[in-house]
Amino acid sequence: MSSGLWAAAVSRIDCAAEGARPGDKWHLDEVFVKIGGVRKYLWRAVDQHGNVLDMLIQSRRDGKAATRFFRKILKHQGRQPRVLVTFKLASYRVAHRTTMSTTKHRQSKSLSNRCENSHQPTQQRERAMKGFRTVGSAQRFLASLSRISPHFRPPRRRMTAIDHRTELSIRSQVWNQVTEQALAV
């Protein structure tokens, strides 16, 4: 499927939030990705429901980079969170102080697991693709992946195996219908 058809399929089905408003508790984290053989940092924000709010690829992990990411999230979301959960990186304190000083900030290794789990599909795709070539292509691909991936990963909590299989088959049928429409256009 070409990139134009891929974008059409993604725009036709909003897989991530399905119209729901993002939560007021944001988990922020960064992970290393190799782009063109150079190590970059993928900054990611996830709400308490696991929906990816925003992401940004940068070459640094300092206070200026964190502040830039915080401003991008605020611009995209249009509001501040009630609680901000981050890892104990000093850059987050700098960015929090300058952009969201009224928001409650929790720094803990164990509390940021929600965001750590959202990195797993990214790392799987990065390994399968043997890295990314350019920052722009990585940003576009990861933005699409963050919207599509939750569609095929329904929450397993309190769901029987039969219900899970049924849900996955329904979601696969929806995806097939959407991509067939994109191919027809």
Side-chain angles (χ1 to χ4, degrees):
M1 188 183 292
S2 72
S3 63
L5 295 175
W6 179 260
V10 171
S11 65
R12 282 206 172 94
I13 185 169
D14 191 3
C15 304
E18 297 173 0
R21 197 177 160 155
D24 61 351
K25 185 176 184 181
W26 296 355
H27 300 260
L28 279 69
D29 194 29
E30 78 286 336
V31 68
F32 301 109
V33 291
K34 281 223 172 179
I35 300 175
V38 179
R39 180 185 279 187
K40 302 281 184 181
Y41 301 96
L42 171 65
W43 297 78
R44 186 183 310 237
V46 178
D47 70 355
Q48 72 259 32
H49 306 297
N51 298 322
V52 177
L53 301 173
D54 211 344
M55 65 179 61
L56 181 66
I57 297 174
Q58 298 188 80
S59 58
R60 296 186 183 266
R61 199 170 71 150
D62 57 0
K64 188 175 176 182
T67 304
R68 181 176 176 213
F69 181 55
F70 277 30
R71 287 193 176 128
K72 183 179 183 214
I73 298 168
L74 288 173
K75 183 179 177 184
H76 186 258
Q77 294 300 318
R79 64 185 177 92
Q80 288 191 0
R82 179 181 52 85
V83 178
L84 189 67
V85 179
T86 64
F87 192 66
K88 293 184 177 185
L89 184 65
S91 306
Y92 289 123
R93 277 186 297 228
V94 172
H96 175 257
R97 216 176 310 123
T98 57
T99 57
M100 296 187 248
S101 59
T102 58
T103 301
K104 187 174 182 179
H105 186 205
R106 294 184 186 156
Q107 288 186 310
S108 171
K109 185 175 181 176
S110 61
L111 289 176
S112 65
N113 281 344
R114 170 84 55 191
C115 200
E116 291 290 342
N117 292 338
S118 78
H119 289 312
Q120 288 177 355
T122 302
Q123 291 169 337
Q124 289 169 351
R125 291 306 309 159
E126 182 186 12
R127 275 194 301 274
M129 296 172 66
K130 298 182 178 145
F132 301 107
R133 302 256 186 240
T134 65
V135 173
S137 66
Q139 186 89 26
R140 284 189 302 275
F141 176 78
L142 294 172
S144 298
L145 180 69
S146 69
R147 291 174 57 194
I148 293 169
S149 182
H151 182 72
F152 295 103
R153 296 171 191 248
R156 284 299 301 259
R157 189 171 175 206
R158 297 186 188 142
M159 187 183 282
T160 65
I162 295 170
D163 292 341
H164 185 258
R165 284 192 294 273
T166 305
E167 181 68 25
L168 278 178
S169 68
I170 291 169
R171 290 178 181 218
S172 294
Q173 289 171 358
V174 169
W175 178 255
N176 290 338
Q177 290 172 355
V178 169
T179 52
E180 285 172 9
Q181 288 175 0
L183 289 172
V185 172

